């Protein structure tokens, strides 16, 4: 059973470019969460999605950031017109249908560097 | 707003010693998670604590939860070098069975020296 797959692992962008981060949840999981981690910090929640629905986007910056989880294919976190402050590790997590435990399994992350 | 505070943030231990990491949180929640992260790697789930008084043990690590005090502890017994990593506690924003996002503490960076 493959784990949560994220790609790319490393992404370098120049200021003003777009960044697209992909996340395929674990098989059988329908809940996807995106988190951002700055150096020496804990993870900060960004958005929670189920298939074709955004459930909670309270942690998403109001501008330039968007996320989707289409019926087919991976979840995408999109950052438009990147700035240096967007440099961080972005982690995706997925969980299954068990509401009782809600164990979130994390991918290896995408490390975004903005030049 | 839910806040999660861990202490200490940095911990240097000698092999063979015991120590406890504390995780306090500010509002009601009935589920708490401990994760381990090695440098440049993802997070590995260690423990899920789902009720007041819950205690889980795995090897040299033991975690407990006191929901009334809003406190969880991660106790390390007879530390070994392989335990060197950053340990995060995370509190589930959902309550009473709802699915929610996790609020993380800043992490405790543990270094075990010979």
């Amino acid at each position: 059973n493959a784990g949560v797959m994220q790609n790319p692992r490393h992404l370098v962008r120049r200021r003003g470019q777009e960044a697209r981060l992909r996340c395929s949840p674990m098989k059988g999981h329908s809940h996807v969460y995106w988190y951002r981690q700055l150096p020496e910090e804990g993870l900060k929640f960004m958005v929670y999605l189920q298939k074709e629905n955004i459930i909670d986007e309270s942690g998403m910056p109001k501008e330039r950031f968007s996320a989707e989880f289409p019926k087919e294919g991976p979840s995408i976190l999109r950052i438009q017109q990147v700035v240096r402050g967007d440099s961080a590790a972005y982690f995706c997590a997925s969980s299954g249908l068990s509401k009782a435990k809600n164990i979130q399994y994390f991918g290896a992350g995408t490390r975004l560097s903005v030049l | 707003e839910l806040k999660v505070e861990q202490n200490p943030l940095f911990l240097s231990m000698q092999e063979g010693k015991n120590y406890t990491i504390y995780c306090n949180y500010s509002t009601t929640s009935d589920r708490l998670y401990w994760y381990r992260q090695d440098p440049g790697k993802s997070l590995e789930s260690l423990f899920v604590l789902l009720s007041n008084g819950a205690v889980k043990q795995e090897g040299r690590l033991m975690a407990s939860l006191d929901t009334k005090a809003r406190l969880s502890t991660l106790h390390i017994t007879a530390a070994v070098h392989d335990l060197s990593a950053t340990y995060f506690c995370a509190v589930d924003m959902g309550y009473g069975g709802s699915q929610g996002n996790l609020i993380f503490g800043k992490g405790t960076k543990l270094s075990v020296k010979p």
Side-chain angles (χ1 to χ4, degrees):
Chain A
N1 186 11
V4 178
M5 304 299 291
Q6 287 188 251
N7 68 83
R9 292 290 309 276
H10 300 274
L11 183 60
V12 179
R13 285 286 178 266
R14 296 190 181 280
R15 279 180 296 169
Q17 290 184 318
E18 179 180 286
R20 279 181 167 245
L21 288 61
R22 293 175 186 77
C23 169
S24 296
M26 281 180 75
K27 189 175 180 181
H29 284 187
S30 57
H31 304 269
V32 166
Y33 307 80
W34 285 94
Y35 295 84
R36 176 163 62 178
Q37 184 180 34
L38 295 171
E40 309 298 326
E41 293 281 324
L43 278 70
K44 295 277 195 281
F45 167 76
M46 298 181 76
V47 62
Y48 162 32
L49 309 105
Q50 291 183 28
K51 283 286 185 182
E52 299 185 279
N53 288 305
I54 296 175
I55 307 302
D56 181 355
E57 56 182 348
S58 58
M60 286 277 270
K62 295 279 187 283
E63 296 176 350
R64 301 189 297 109
F65 285 72
S66 62
E68 62 175 7
F69 189 14
K71 188 176 179 181
E72 302 290 338
S75 175
I76 307 284
L77 179 67
R78 184 179 173 208
I79 311 172
Q80 295 178 291
Q81 299 175 328
V82 296
V83 299
R84 288 225 173 99
D86 297 334
S87 296
Y90 292 83
F91 288 96
C92 166
S94 74
S95 66
L97 293 177
S98 171
K99 287 189 172 183
K101 285 193 175 181
N102 187 25
I103 297 177
Q104 296 183 19
Y105 297 88
F106 284 80
T110 294
R111 280 147 183 87
L112 172 65
S113 297
V114 180
L115 305 178
Chain B
E1 181 190 342
L2 175 63
K3 292 186 180 177
V4 180
E5 292 186 352
Q6 282 183 242
N7 72 85
L9 297 183
F10 297 93
L11 178 55
S12 182
M13 296 176 66
Q14 282 200 305
E15 280 192 330
K17 298 291 187 185
N18 304 333
Y19 208 83
T20 300
I21 299 170
Y22 297 88
C23 174
N24 291 89
Y25 54 98
S26 60
T27 63
T28 303
S29 174
D30 62 356
R31 60 202 66 211
L32 187 138
Y33 306 79
W34 284 96
Y35 286 88
R36 167 183 171 145
Q37 185 180 38
D38 290 291
K41 304 286 187 184
S42 185
L43 282 78
E44 174 193 351
S45 176
L46 293 175
F47 299 108
V48 181
L49 302 167
L50 298 177
S51 61
N52 187 37
V55 177
K56 296 277 182 76
Q57 182 161 7
E58 180 73 35
R60 300 174 189 273
L61 300 177
M62 184 173 70
S64 66
L65 177 62
D66 181 344
T67 57
K68 292 180 182 175
R70 298 177 187 169
L71 170 69
S72 179
T73 61
L74 181 66
H75 187 73
I76 303 154
T77 302
V80 293
H81 179 69
D82 285 352
L83 289 180
S84 297
T86 299
Y87 293 84
F88 291 97
C89 67
V91 175
D92 193 329
M93 281 293 287
Y95 188 76
S98 65
Q99 204 98 13
N101 67 75
L102 299 182
I103 306 297
F104 282 80
K106 289 193 172 183
T108 297
K109 191 169 185 177
L110 171 65
S111 175
V112 181
K113 301 181 186 307

